[in-house]
Amino acid sequence: AQKITQTQPGMFVQEKEAVTLDCTYDTSDPSYGLFWYKQPSSGEMIFLIYQGSYDQQNATEGRYSLNFQKARKSANLVISASQLGDSAMYFCAMREGRGNAGNMLTFGGGTRLMVKP
Amino acid sequence: DTGVSQDPRHKITKRGQNVTFRCDPISEHNRLYWYRQTLGQGPEFLTYFQNEAQLEKSRLLSDRFSAERPKGSFSTLEIQRTEQGDSAMYLCASSFWQGGGELFFGEGSRLTVL
């Protein structure tokens, strides 16, 4: 079974609007971390936001927020006020176990976001 | 620049040749990772070092692949007898052992095997 599923291969959003990128995960480990990365056409993976499985509040970083629904095993990324520079591939990833046991991440297949002017 | 650096950025080789990629992590990070990314896919884990010890290897890492981190600083990934299926982006990342564990990635080394 896929550990990380991103069901939206491509998304369009109008500049200045908000957009939600979906991510569901599968793990039986009670301790895990969820990450979102942005990959522009240059190829570098840029860390955006992190949510720990025991965190009580949804993570936020500037225009990025993570809608964490633990019971549904979903960790959707919300980008507010989209900008043209947000056009990129977005990857959801999971680390199973505690961070001090190794930080190997499993990535989803990605969603390509295109921001329209 | 104090980020993760990878060299070379692009490599074109003929099938059967050996290639080596180098990764210099962020200096304070003791963990180093190699990932492979094929076109249109997410990165796939290959191997992981803590200091100079190679602690995890994926089944994707066939016996033609070898990775080293001899002094716990930079790392090399060598592919022997390259095959066309090895064509991919090879990504290196580093991290602290504490905290959330986010990985900091380099810009990758793109391999094309003809």
Side-chain angles (χ1 to χ4, degrees), chain A residues 33 35 37 39 41-47 49-50 89 91 94-95 98-110 112, chain B residues 4 9 31 33 35 37 40-45 48 50 56 89 91 95-108:
Chain A
F35 303 77
Y37 282 83
Q39 188 177 41
S41 55
S42 59
E44 185 178 1
M45 298 283 285
I46 301 168
F47 166 71
I49 197 166
Y50 164 77
M89 284 291 289
F91 291 97
M94 176 174 65
R95 179 207 71 230
R98 293 188 180 276
N100 58 4
N103 293 348
M104 288 79 73
L105 300 186
T106 302
F107 286 82
R112 179 171 297 282
Chain B
V4 178
R9 294 290 313 281
R31 291 181 169 177
Y33 308 79
Y35 280 79
Q37 185 178 25
Q41 303 296 318
E44 298 172 294
F45 170 74
Y48 144 66
Q50 179 154 313
E56 286 280 343
M89 177 78 86
L91 295 166
S95 77
F96 282 117
W97 68 273
Q98 290 178 312
E102 59 266 31
L103 305 189
F104 296 84
F105 283 85
E107 293 183 310

Side-chain angles (χ1 to χ4, degrees), chain A residues 53-70:
Chain A
S53 59
Y54 296 115
D55 293 343
Q56 295 296 312
Q57 294 189 324
N58 287 345
T60 60
E61 288 286 349
R63 294 187 298 111
Y64 304 108
S65 60
L66 202 152
N67 183 2
F68 181 45
Q69 298 187 46
K70 197 169 183 177

Side-chain angles (χ1 to χ4, degrees), chain B residues 65-89:
Chain B
F65 288 69
S66 62
E68 295 182 341
R69 195 182 182 198
K71 297 182 180 180
S73 56
F74 73 92
S75 175
T76 58
L77 176 69
E78 181 184 18
I79 309 174
Q80 296 182 327
R81 305 181 304 280
T82 52
E83 301 173 355
Q84 288 184 325
D86 297 332
S87 295
M89 177 78 86

Side-chain angles (χ1 to χ4, degrees), chain B residues 11-112:
Chain B
K11 178 73 176 178
I12 300 174
T13 191
K14 293 183 179 179
R15 189 177 54 186
Q17 298 295 305
N18 298 346
V19 297
T20 300
F21 301 113
R22 176 180 169 124
C23 171
D24 288 89
I26 294 171
S27 58
E28 314 88 84
H29 290 176
N30 65 340
R31 291 181 169 177
L32 186 147
Y33 308 79
W34 285 99
Y35 280 79
R36 182 175 71 184
Q37 185 178 25
T38 52
L39 203 60
Q41 303 296 318
E44 298 172 294
F45 170 74
L46 291 178
T47 190
Y48 144 66
F49 291 84
Q50 179 154 313
N51 300 314
E52 66 276 9
Q54 189 174 18
L55 297 185
E56 286 280 343
K57 289 200 296 186
S58 161
R59 286 172 295 176
L60 293 174
L61 212 66
S62 77
D63 56 5
R64 295 185 298 106
F65 288 69
S66 62
E68 295 182 341
R69 195 182 182 198
K71 297 182 180 180
S73 56
F74 73 92
S75 175
T76 58
L77 176 69
E78 181 184 18
I79 309 174
Q80 296 182 327
R81 305 181 304 280
T82 52
E83 301 173 355
Q84 288 184 325
D86 297 332
S87 295
M89 177 78 86
Y90 290 86
L91 295 166
C92 177
S94 66
S95 77
F96 282 117
W97 68 273
Q98 290 178 312
E102 59 266 31
L103 305 189
F104 296 84
F105 283 85
E107 293 183 310
S109 294
R110 182 170 295 284
L111 173 65
T112 302

Side-chain angles (χ1 to χ4, degrees), chain A residues 9-87:
Chain A
M11 290 276 289
F12 282 96
V13 65
Q14 198 68 40
E15 191 179 8
K16 300 181 185 177
E17 292 185 350
V19 63
T20 298
L21 305 183
D22 294 342
C23 173
T24 57
Y25 60 92
D26 183 26
T27 181
S28 56
D29 197 320
S31 180
Y32 54 89
L34 297 158
F35 303 77
W36 277 92
Y37 282 83
K38 172 184 178 182
Q39 188 177 41
S41 55
S42 59
E44 185 178 1
M45 298 283 285
I46 301 168
F47 166 71
L48 296 178
I49 197 166
Y50 164 77
Q51 180 88 41
S53 59
Y54 296 115
D55 293 343
Q56 295 296 312
Q57 294 189 324
N58 287 345
T60 60
E61 288 286 349
R63 294 187 298 111
Y64 304 108
S65 60
L66 202 152
N67 183 2
F68 181 45
Q69 298 187 46
K70 197 169 183 177
R72 298 178 63 181
K73 294 190 173 179
S74 75
N76 299 339
L77 177 70
V78 180
I79 306 174
S80 62
S82 297
Q83 301 172 356
L84 296 179
D86 294 335
S87 294

